[in-house]
Amino acid sequence: MINIRPVSDLRNKFSEIEETVIHSNAPVFLTKNGYGTMVLMSIEQYSELTDNIERKLDESDAAAEQTTVRYSASEVFGRARSRINEHARV
C-alpha cells in the first residue's frame, strides 16, 4: 500500500515514519500543500535501487581505461534510443 503523508509529519511524527519505512520496506511519500515533495526510504531500499547502477558505472570506467575510443553524446544517446526502441517493439 502506498504511504502518503504530509511533510509536517516528518517533524511531528518522525519516529512513526521511521518505523514505517524500516519495517514495511516501502517508501513514504511526503506532500506539501497537496503536492509531492520527497520520498523517504531506508538505506537498504536505496541500495537496491542504486547498487547495480554503481556497479555498471564502475565497469564502464574500467572499460574506458582500456581503450582510447570515445563517443560523442549524440552517439551514446542515439544508441540508447535505438535499444529502447528495439525493446519497445518486442
Side-chain angles (χ1 to χ4, degrees), residues 31-50:
T31 62
K32 184 175 182 180
N33 300 323
Y35 295 96
T37 58
M38 63 183 85
V39 178
L40 298 175
M41 63 180 65
S42 69
I43 291 174
E44 290 79 13
Q45 291 169 317
Y46 181 78
S47 290
E48 285 179 29
L49 289 174
T50 61

Side-chain angles (χ1 to χ4, degrees), residues 2-14:
I2 294 176
N3 194 336
I4 301 172
R5 310 278 295 255
V7 74
S8 60
D9 279 2
L10 189 57
R11 179 177 12 95
N12 300 328
K13 300 178 182 179
F14 178 82

Side-chain angles (χ1 to χ4, degrees), residues 6-69:
V7 74
S8 60
D9 279 2
L10 189 57
R11 179 177 12 95
N12 300 328
K13 300 178 182 179
F14 178 82
S15 297
E16 183 180 318
I17 293 175
E18 180 183 34
E19 286 291 315
T20 300
V21 167
I22 291 171
H23 295 302
S24 72
N25 199 32
V28 172
F29 298 86
L30 299 177
T31 62
K32 184 175 182 180
N33 300 323
Y35 295 96
T37 58
M38 63 183 85
V39 178
L40 298 175
M41 63 180 65
S42 69
I43 291 174
E44 290 79 13
Q45 291 169 317
Y46 181 78
S47 290
E48 285 179 29
L49 289 174
T50 61
D51 283 352
N52 189 47
I53 294 167
E54 289 290 334
R55 197 170 19 264
K56 293 293 183 184
L57 287 171
D58 289 344
E59 289 173 14
S60 297
D61 288 342
E65 289 178 5
Q66 301 297 318
T67 182
T68 59
V69 175

